[in-house]
Amino acid sequence: MILCGPFIKRAARTFLPSSLCCSGGISKRTNVTLAITRHVSENLANAITSNAHEPNNNEHPVGNEAAGISLDIAKQQHLDYVHKLRSIVPTLTLPASSQHPDCVFVEDTAVVVGNTAVINRIGAEPRRGEEDPIRTILNQLGLTVHDMRNASVSSENEPFTDSEDAPTCDGGDVLYPGGNELFVGLSSRTNEGGIRFLQKSFPMLEVITVPLRALDLDLDLESESYDSGGPFGCLHLKSMVTHIDETTLVLPMGPIGEELFRRMEGVKRGYHPVYLPDAASCNLVSVNGTVLAPETAACCEETRSILQQEIIERRGMSMLFLDSSEFVKCDGALTCKSILLSL
């Protein structure tokens, strides 16, 4: 059963304690009123991955043995994830799809800011179709929905001559810390057309392009030193950069994190960087005063100490650790498994 939009909105408002609200609504740091998740597909082991131990693998679907994914463990890890989210914010969980092994990674299907949503044209062709149930629920919630898949003309007002010319975007490449800025990674999954579509759909925001391609080559680094998935460990922008609050970005310690912060014009825009020695721990989910962090952060003493200082001691927020190891095997991370809305 899909609940209607007004019911969900009332439930979300009722759920939030009064300490998280102010006279004008919900405070800027604690403005998430609904999360959307999706159950794990029975075919998760066939999800797209760059982590398979196969020669010349290039993000193609692989079988169970190659990926080494335990479906039972993955389901339990996702149940824990959804349980933690539900302890913080009302959470919808949509049914899985056997036709779409990656469907649990709902983040890639849409970009939502306030009451406006963009349904993405996912960059990996085998995943296209995952967007449909997300569009349905966003429409039911009463959002203004722009569908990137319906774009038919280029920036020069010429029809697209090839599907490769069409705009593409994965939500994992889009970071919205709050305020007036939307950072978008230009990657193997998100192209310039997709970024232009976002700018047109969110005219109230400054959309900032963050080039990710060949970042390790630009810095003359060995990509093997960043082994958390994808080229130089950065399949998406949020594989490497997330936020704690509206002015604090979390990035990997070292030249790649510093270069990403520079490309985001972090100093100019007033952001405070927090650099972590464990790159995989940079993928955090910040929801209403609580930060969900990967279990790897708890295993690295220096990373744990930095996060505890920045999240708990300096900001008075809470931190919960979650094991997402099975999803890492198919390039998944904590942010990938939810869409956070402020209704």
Side-chain angles (χ1 to χ4, degrees):
M1 179 178 71
I2 299 296
L3 301 176
C4 67
F7 180 90
I8 295 171
K9 290 181 180 180
R10 287 197 301 272
R13 290 287 183 179
T14 302
F15 183 94
L16 288 170
S18 58
S19 61
L20 295 184
C21 300
C22 60
S23 59
I26 301 168
S27 67
K28 287 186 177 181
R29 195 185 72 184
T30 56
N31 64 347
V32 178
T33 57
L34 181 69
I36 298 174
T37 62
R38 198 168 182 186
H39 284 301
V40 176
S41 171
E42 293 294 321
N43 293 319
L44 177 67
N46 293 318
I48 298 172
T49 179
S50 60
N51 288 329
H53 300 294
E54 291 186 346
N56 302 318
N57 179 66
N58 187 25
E59 298 179 5
H60 292 301
V62 296
N64 191 29
E65 291 185 1
I69 293 173
S70 167
L71 182 61
D72 290 340
I73 296 175
K75 285 183 175 181
Q76 186 56 55
Q77 289 178 351
H78 190 54
L79 282 175
D80 293 343
Y81 176 85
V82 173
H83 177 72
K84 290 289 196 305
L85 268 182
R86 284 203 173 118
S87 71
I88 306 166
V89 65
T91 301
L92 288 177
T93 301
L94 304 179
S97 166
S98 58
Q99 285 76 38
H100 295 107
D102 296 86
C103 68
V104 69
F105 303 129
V106 291
E107 174 187 52
D108 290 327
T109 64
V111 177
V112 184
V113 178
N115 291 320
T116 302
V118 166
I119 297 299
N120 294 328
R121 187 173 191 266
I122 295 180
E125 188 171 354
R127 294 189 58 189
R128 291 171 192 163
E130 293 177 28
E131 309 95 335
D132 294 333
I134 305 302
R135 171 165 182 150
T136 297
I137 190 65
L138 294 179
N139 277 326
Q140 289 182 341
L141 287 168
L143 274 67
T144 299
V145 178
H146 306 279
D147 198 325
M148 189 178 293
R149 300 171 299 173
N150 295 335
S152 58
V153 226
S154 70
S155 58
E156 289 78 26
N157 292 320
E158 294 292 333
F160 292 119
T161 56
D162 191 287
S163 61
E164 292 183 0
D165 296 330
T168 62
C169 179
D170 280 12
D173 275 320
V174 183
L175 176 64
Y176 178 61
N180 300 316
E181 295 160 337
L182 193 72
F183 295 99
V184 187
L186 181 62
S187 70
S188 61
R189 301 290 179 85
T190 298
N191 63 18
E192 292 178 355
I195 296 174
R196 286 194 297 268
F197 191 93
L198 291 176
Q199 180 67 85
K200 185 176 180 180
S201 302
F202 299 108
M204 65 294 211
L205 300 176
E206 181 183 4
V207 175
I208 301 147
T209 300
V210 185
L212 300 180
R213 296 169 184 167
L215 179 57
D216 53 335
L217 299 178
D218 292 346
L219 295 172
D220 194 26
L221 297 175
E222 293 291 335
S223 61
E224 288 80 2
S225 63
Y226 293 83
D227 59 358
S228 51
F232 64 89
C234 197
L235 175 65
H236 292 129
L237 177 65
K238 282 193 281 194
S239 301
M240 284 290 194
V241 187
T242 54
H243 70 286
I244 295 175
D245 57 27
E246 286 193 358
T247 59
T248 308
L249 302 179
V250 181
L251 310 99
M253 190 175 288
I256 280 186
E258 293 168 3
E259 176 62 15
L260 280 172
F261 191 65
R262 187 192 69 79
R263 293 187 182 192
M264 297 171 78
E265 298 183 323
V267 173
K268 171 185 173 183
R269 299 179 185 283
Y271 288 95
H272 167 67
V274 173
Y275 294 109
L276 301 180
D278 178 48
S281 299
C282 294
N283 186 266
L284 306 174
V285 180
S286 184
V287 188
N288 296 343
T290 297
V291 174
L292 305 182
E295 191 67 36
T296 55
C299 299
C300 174
E301 185 174 345
E302 186 179 0
T303 293
R304 185 181 186 126
S305 175
I306 294 170
L307 289 176
Q308 182 170 338
Q309 182 181 48
E310 294 289 342
I311 294 169
I312 300 174
E313 297 174 11
R314 291 189 177 177
R315 292 170 178 81
M317 300 169 70
S318 302
M319 180 167 57
L320 301 172
F321 294 105
L322 283 164
D323 186 359
S324 195
S325 54
E326 294 306 303
F327 298 98
V328 171
K329 296 174 183 178
C330 49
D331 299 335
L334 293 181
T335 60
C336 302
K337 299 192 293 178
S338 60
I339 301 172
L340 305 178
L341 286 73
S342 302
L343 302 176

